[in-house]
Amino acid sequence: MPKFPFKQVHPFVRKWAQPLITGKGPITAAIREQSPYVHHQFRTPLPCLNPVFAFVHRTKYEKSPNLTLTRHLVHAEDGGIVSLDKMEKDGLEGDGSKPVVVMFPGGNEVSVSTKIQTLAAHYLESSYGDVYMCNYRGKYKTPLLSPQVTFQNGRFNDVFRVVNYIAELHPDRKILISADCFGGSCALDYLLTSSYAPVHPSVLGCVAHSVQMNLHLTNKGIMTEPGYSLFVKNFNKYLQHMLTHDRHGSEGLPDMVREKIGERRYREMSELTMATPADGMRFYEAFSALLDDMFTSEADYEDKVSPNRKLQRASLTRPMVIINAQDDFTAPVCEEDLAIFEAEENLCFWMLPNGGHCSYVVTMFPSVTNYIDKLVVNCSDILVSEAETAEKCRATS
């Protein structure tokens, strides 16, 4: 049985606990030396020690900075489209020498989501002048023109397409990837030596948070109530509607899906009510056929897609910082996972004492604020500085 590193810490005590930082490479050493958050006590209001309450409270009450969006479309070779929204804040001009930030969000987030906008605003306020947010296929007015949806594995992973587009748009700039949740899994898959497409030379690295690093434990967490109703149910319904109903800009897609997966699986996918976790599992069994029967079972899916398994077979080609919370029941890890992360030279893994899933609430009243945005930008600054220093050293040697 896997051993959990924080099982002995009472939830109330976590309010005063410090983060656990795992890693042995240069990026971990730099963060330990330079980040003011290494010994920080990440305190959160007592009600928000309940991760479900924290998630709902931040989602509902945090105010959006209402950034200005300018849309770009990235066309894939299979006919699909991914959209990029450039995010700008009035009165702010960035430092042209800083990298372009490309954000890859969780599966339920889009560029107008408050959590995405607050992090983008922190990047803009820290002089990162060009910040782009990726909307996956079929998300936020992005037409779904092929049965394929964005997925965190191999050729179904749209990160390389987006990064290549940004590199062409800004040929003289470096690129920093910022991600969370599902987007963090996509970014990690892209940065591995086993990646489907080579990592673009302009990419410096990635900072991500709330990433599902152990899908076996994640599935136990999200495929039970309240995880299913909070994180999976509505997303399943969205995918189901997107793939089985004609919509403006994607007419004929249901016929394409039916042809690809067969009439029986199509009928199963379209008729499920999504009311229970069992429905959710049946939906994913039908959905996996859209990925060319890539997975033969749930265990096979976990082995091929779970980041902890991938890191046992391949190494990261760029520095990556991942920040998770101990009480995030959608992204649990065990001691065996920490040993894997420790062995990866280009990975710095943070385990914060509390924060829930993408929540990390600091204050509840009079306005909701979080601490993850400042921490992500701080780690981004350190990663960029170390990557640029290393590049200069290579150029002079």
Side-chain angles (χ1 to χ4, degrees):
M1 289 293 291
K3 297 178 181 179
F4 294 87
F6 295 104
K7 195 172 183 180
Q8 73 280 10
V9 180
H10 190 276
F12 186 81
V13 179
R14 291 189 207 134
K15 187 173 180 180
W16 293 277
Q18 295 179 355
L20 170 73
I21 302 175
T22 298
K24 65 176 184 179
I27 183 60
T28 303
I31 283 178
R32 289 186 184 278
E33 180 181 347
Q34 300 176 38
S35 177
Y37 297 101
V38 169
H39 302 292
H40 188 74
Q41 291 182 342
F42 292 92
R43 302 183 181 184
T44 193
L46 192 59
C48 290
L49 289 177
N50 181 319
V52 175
F53 178 88
F55 180 85
V56 173
H57 189 76
R58 184 184 174 193
T59 301
K60 188 172 183 179
Y61 293 110
E62 189 172 37
K63 292 182 179 179
S64 172
N66 294 320
L67 303 177
T68 302
L69 306 179
T70 305
R71 175 144 293 193
H72 298 250
L73 296 178
V74 180
H75 295 266
E77 63 277 4
D78 64 354
I81 291 179
V82 181
S83 68
L84 278 174
D85 285 336
K86 183 176 183 181
M87 313 184 83
E88 298 173 285
K89 189 173 182 179
D90 292 342
L92 288 181
E93 292 187 10
D95 182 351
S97 65
K98 282 198 169 187
V100 178
V101 177
V102 189
M103 300 174 65
F104 295 93
N108 285 318
E109 304 289 344
V110 295
S111 53
V112 292
S113 300
T114 300
K115 292 173 186 173
I116 298 301
Q117 294 231 343
T118 59
L119 178 56
H122 274 79
Y123 274 115
L124 292 169
E125 290 163 2
S126 299
S127 300
Y128 290 86
D130 295 289
V131 179
Y132 293 84
M133 154 70 190
C134 173
N135 295 290
Y136 305 124
R137 301 183 188 210
K139 300 286 285 185
Y140 188 51
K141 303 177 183 177
T142 306
L144 187 64
L145 302 180
S146 70
Q148 177 185 328
V149 295
T150 302
F151 194 69
Q152 69 266 47
N153 205 65
R155 68 183 183 280
F156 301 99
N157 187 350
D158 284 317
V159 172
F160 75 91
R161 299 179 177 93
V162 171
V163 168
N164 290 347
Y165 177 86
I166 292 294
E168 291 180 7
L169 199 63
H170 300 277
D172 300 323
R173 303 276 295 281
K174 297 296 183 181
I175 296 173
L176 172 69
I177 297 173
S178 179
D180 68 87
C181 191
F182 169 80
S185 297
C186 292
L188 186 143
D189 180 73
Y190 170 65
L191 294 178
L192 289 171
T193 52
S194 59
S195 174
Y196 171 74
V199 178
H200 198 279
S202 63
V203 174
L204 295 178
C206 172
V207 179
H209 71 86
S210 305
V211 183
Q212 289 81 17
M213 300 296 289
N214 184 323
L215 289 185
H216 178 69
L217 297 180
T218 292
N219 287 339
K220 286 185 175 181
I222 65 173
M223 282 312 202
T224 57
E225 297 288 355
Y228 180 75
S229 60
L230 266 180
F231 301 107
V232 182
K233 183 177 180 179
N234 288 335
F235 185 61
N236 281 2
K237 286 183 176 179
Y238 173 82
L239 275 178
Q240 180 189 49
H241 182 79
M242 186 168 62
L243 294 168
T244 59
H245 290 73
D246 277 316
R247 305 185 313 155
H248 176 69
S250 58
E251 288 82 357
L253 180 62
D255 292 334
M256 296 167 66
V257 173
R258 182 186 287 108
E259 181 180 352
K260 187 166 186 178
I261 71 176
E263 184 65 36
R264 180 184 62 82
R265 278 176 163 164
Y266 178 82
R267 188 168 58 252
E268 288 176 356
M269 177 183 282
S270 59
E271 293 177 355
L272 287 167
T273 65
M274 303 299 177
T276 66
D279 277 359
M281 292 306 297
R282 283 194 290 270
F283 174 78
Y284 277 116
E285 287 173 2
F287 172 75
S288 67
L290 282 173
L291 306 176
D292 293 343
D293 288 317
M294 185 186 293
F295 314 116
T296 58
S297 65
E298 182 179 347
D300 186 45
Y301 162 75
E302 291 169 358
D303 182 63
K304 291 179 178 176
V305 178
S306 188
N308 64 335
R309 304 282 182 86
K310 289 181 177 181
L311 286 169
Q312 290 178 292
R313 298 190 293 264
S315 300
L316 290 167
T317 60
R318 301 288 191 279
M320 185 170 188
V321 180
I322 296 177
I323 305 164
N324 279 11
Q326 169 188 347
D327 58 351
D328 183 351
F329 60 88
T330 78
V333 297
C334 60
E335 285 187 0
E336 287 83 351
D337 296 328
L338 294 180
I340 296 170
F341 306 156
E342 179 78 32
E344 173 52 56
E345 186 168 338
N346 271 328
L347 177 63
C348 177
F349 183 80
W350 291 59
M351 180 64 83
L352 302 185
N354 52 67
H357 184 65
C358 299
S359 302
Y360 309 93
V361 176
V362 176
T363 63
M364 295 172 59
F365 306 104
S367 61
V368 177
T369 59
N370 72 84
Y371 57 78
I372 191 64
D373 292 347
K374 290 182 179 179
L375 178 55
V376 165
V377 174
N378 174 252
C379 289
S380 298
D381 289 340
I382 296 171
L383 187 152
V384 169
S385 175
E386 289 302 303
E388 291 177 344
T389 300
E391 192 171 89
K392 290 178 182 177
C393 291
R394 286 194 296 269
T396 56
S397 61

